[in-house]
Amino acid sequence: MSCKSYKISALLSLALLLCVMLEYVFAQPFTWSKGGSRPQDYDMGGDPTVSHGSANGGFIKSKVATINGFGTYLTSIAPGQYRNQAIKLSAYVKTVNVASFAGLWMRVDAGNQTLSFDNMGTRPLVGTMDWEQYEIILDVPENSTAIFFGLTIDGTGEAYVDGLQIEPAARTWNVISTGTTQTILALKAVDENTVWAGATGGTYLRTTDGGATWKTGGVPGATALHFNAIAVIDQDTAYYTGQNWNTLQDARIYKTTDGGATWTQQYRNTGVGAFFNSIAFWNANNGVATSDPVGGSFLIVTTTDGGATWNQVPAANLPAPKPNEYAGFGDAGGTTLFVEGKNKAWFGTGNGAPIRVIKSTDQGKTWTSVSTPLPTTGNFFGISTVTFADSLTGFAGGYKSSYSKTETMLVKTTDGGQSWNLVPAFNLHPSTIQYIPNTNNKMMVASSGQGAAYSNDGGDTWQILPSTQPTYALSFVSPTVGWASSLYLNGKVLKFIGNFRTAVTEQPTALPSGFHLAQNYPNPFNPSTLIQYEIPQAAQVQLAIYNLLGERVRTLVDANEPAGIKQVTWDGRDDLGERVSSSVYLYRLAAGEVKMTKRLLLMK
């Protein structure tokens, strides 16, 4: 269950929307102001000493030991030429001892109405993090009147921003209104025309004309529930799981066979902790739904008669939950569970250390668990999506409350889930990962609070979709037709624009705005680690490993390279191919006149 994971984001979003208090103007290319719910508890301003190569530098520093609120250093512009297109806010951000939350934020308004908003609540910066570039992309509708943006921090700590800029962005999604104001949590597409969706307030949605019109309504007796997971059988038949996110002890399953005209409540559990994260069917009759633990055991129910009866799997047939462990992040799209073939199923867990994948090979009658190497730091961590190409090859993607661009939250298996390995250089927290139908399991797409990504080689390498926005539930039926939802777009869905087969050539990646050398990942490491760097213009680049005596151990790059984001792997060997000993090493980037050095640790 992951509704807790959005508490910080929701509270800060509400506060930023309602409590922008202007106090102070600082002269820069943008006109800056102090704001927030507790601006008096922070020092804020422009500070050229924090710059690492760009303009528009600023800072926020807490000045009291306890703060019940946030501060923001903000500015605004008129929509102007940005109307009817997407806009990108980008900047480098650094944090020091941030206790709760820090990040960029942007909001698009029409008068007193907020049209779109993103405060990096799904990729919060926590603790101490070196300079990294982040971005936010929002659509600017025709009726927009103002665009607000800036840096924010909640609680104690320090946050610095540098190189902030606004620019037009290529659009990846069309924003479509559905006729409801509820937040859409789950999506399942049947074909290019028919899509089912579930929302807050017990609301269901369905289109049969590709999104031109939507039928929306509330399921009787379910207004206190949120529909966060869907299993679709055909155009007229669907199952929804509904949860009470306030009490966390009312989990239900509803079914319709007439396109939503009538609904039947098939199952209800009011035990403490009852929260269905996902539901899936092998065929029209046989299905399974997975919930957080109730009474000291995972709540898993199965049906063999299309939901007429649901039977709870005995605790003796399940692995015992770890303390505070739950069955994944189900409100990030409802895809924590995946079924394959005639009898196989997998679902991921959350807030247990280690993070686990739990598997069945007998249509849900018995289950076993396997640990994954997904990171377990932060207040919340766990699996939000599981997908398989066949009985052997699959992926599990996760979320955690602290975000790092150099840390992967994706693992892959090639043995049916018996073992899992991290997928390097995947720096999103995926909410949904899906194999796109009829592409021979080569084409994949992933949604996340940091945007979307796609793969054309079965998930071995990934490309970030340029100029996208936070997405959660996601469902594609072809490389050109797909849908997504966003927690920041109440009553709206996103429809994909483009073609994944030609996305690389049609949508170029934005160039870096400055030189940057990222911290290697993982660190410490054994046997290999990934080093990423950015160069804003073509340059002679040399990247090398040195020991603490200053002796060169390995040259990784020595070439004239074009501008872009680069990455290289060091396998712990020297230039002669021999493995080096466990120690602290330096890696040094020289690009033109720029030189940068960081440390890494090899442990055997």
Side-chain angles (χ1 to χ4, degrees), residues 146-477:
I147 302 169
F148 295 89
F149 54 91
L151 177 71
T152 188
I153 182 172
D154 183 41
T156 57
E158 303 174 14
Y160 301 87
V161 64
D162 191 37
L164 187 146
Q165 61 182 355
I166 288 283
E167 58 189 316
R171 298 182 66 200
T172 307
W173 307 92
N174 273 331
V175 181
I176 299 175
S177 297
T178 63
T180 182
T181 58
Q182 300 290 339
T183 300
I184 296 171
L185 303 171
L187 282 168
K188 291 290 183 182
V190 179
D191 51 41
E192 294 189 358
N193 294 315
T194 304
V195 182
W196 291 85
T200 56
T203 303
Y204 74 92
L205 304 91
R206 187 181 71 137
T207 180
T208 56
D209 55 14
T213 60
W214 291 81
K215 176 183 178 181
T216 66
V219 173
T223 56
L225 308 181
H226 296 340
F227 289 144
N228 62 284
I230 307 172
V232 173
I233 305 301
D234 53 41
Q235 288 188 348
D236 296 316
T237 306
Y239 298 81
Y240 281 44
T241 63
Q243 334 295 332
N244 188 317
W245 288 12
N246 293 320
T247 65
L248 301 182
Q249 57 183 85
D250 190 356
R252 310 183 201 177
I253 299 174
Y254 288 90
K255 180 183 181 181
T256 181
T257 58
D258 52 15
T262 60
W263 294 85
T264 301
Q265 179 181 298
Q266 293 192 318
Y267 180 85
R268 184 179 186 183
N269 190 300
T270 58
V272 176
F275 189 104
F276 282 123
N277 293 278
S278 205
I279 184 171
F281 275 72
W282 288 275
N283 53 48
N285 291 318
N286 296 280
V288 58
T290 54
S291 164
D292 294 341
V294 175
S297 173
F298 285 111
L299 171 62
I300 301 179
V301 295
T302 62
T303 182
T304 58
D305 54 14
T309 57
W310 290 88
N311 301 301
Q312 184 172 338
V313 177
N317 295 350
L318 294 165
K322 298 177 181 294
N324 300 316
E325 187 178 25
Y326 45 79
F329 287 102
D331 54 353
T335 60
T336 60
L337 166 71
F338 190 87
V339 300
E340 189 273 336
K342 295 181 179 180
N343 50 28
K344 291 183 173 62
W346 302 262
F347 74 89
T349 70
N351 262 33
I355 298 171
R356 299 190 291 173
V357 173
I358 298 179
K359 175 183 178 180
S360 174
T361 58
D362 56 8
Q363 227 170 65
K365 297 180 179 66
T366 61
W367 299 78
T368 57
S369 70
V370 174
S371 299
T372 76
L374 286 168
T376 57
T377 55
N379 295 325
F380 300 99
F381 49 82
I383 290 173
S384 52
T385 184
V386 176
T387 189
F388 274 75
D390 49 43
S391 62
L392 297 177
T393 303
F395 292 84
Y399 167 86
K400 65 190 192 71
S401 55
S402 58
Y403 174 68
S404 170
K405 293 183 71 174
T406 60
E407 185 173 52
T408 183
M409 287 300 290
L410 182 66
V411 288
K412 180 180 180 179
T413 181
T414 56
D415 57 12
Q418 295 304 309
S419 61
W420 297 84
N421 297 296
L422 289 169
V423 178
F426 186 90
N427 59 8
L428 305 181
H429 290 181
S431 299
T432 301
I433 296 179
Q434 179 198 349
Y435 285 91
I436 297 177
N438 303 315
T439 61
N440 295 320
N441 294 328
K442 292 295 184 182
M443 203 168 292
M444 302 182 70
V445 61
S447 64
S448 80
Q450 302 84 46
Y454 67 95
S455 172
N456 285 328
D457 57 10
D460 289 334
T461 61
W462 291 82
Q463 301 288 328
I464 306 301
L465 271 176
S467 303
T468 188
Q469 55 188 311
T471 51
Y472 299 93
L474 177 147
S475 187
F476 273 73
V477 295

Side-chain angles (χ1 to χ4, degrees), residues 55-101:
N56 290 326
F59 69 90
I60 307 176
K61 301 179 183 179
S62 59
K63 58 183 182 181
V64 296
T66 302
I67 302 176
N68 184 23
F70 71 95
T72 180
Y73 191 53
L74 72 149
T75 186
S76 65
I77 60 173
Q81 76 270 23
Y82 298 120
R83 285 191 174 96
N84 288 323
Q85 60 180 304
I87 188 173
K88 179 170 73 173
L89 166 72
S90 63
Y92 285 87
V93 180
K94 174 183 177 180
T95 61
V96 179
N97 298 325
V98 171
S100 179
F101 175 99

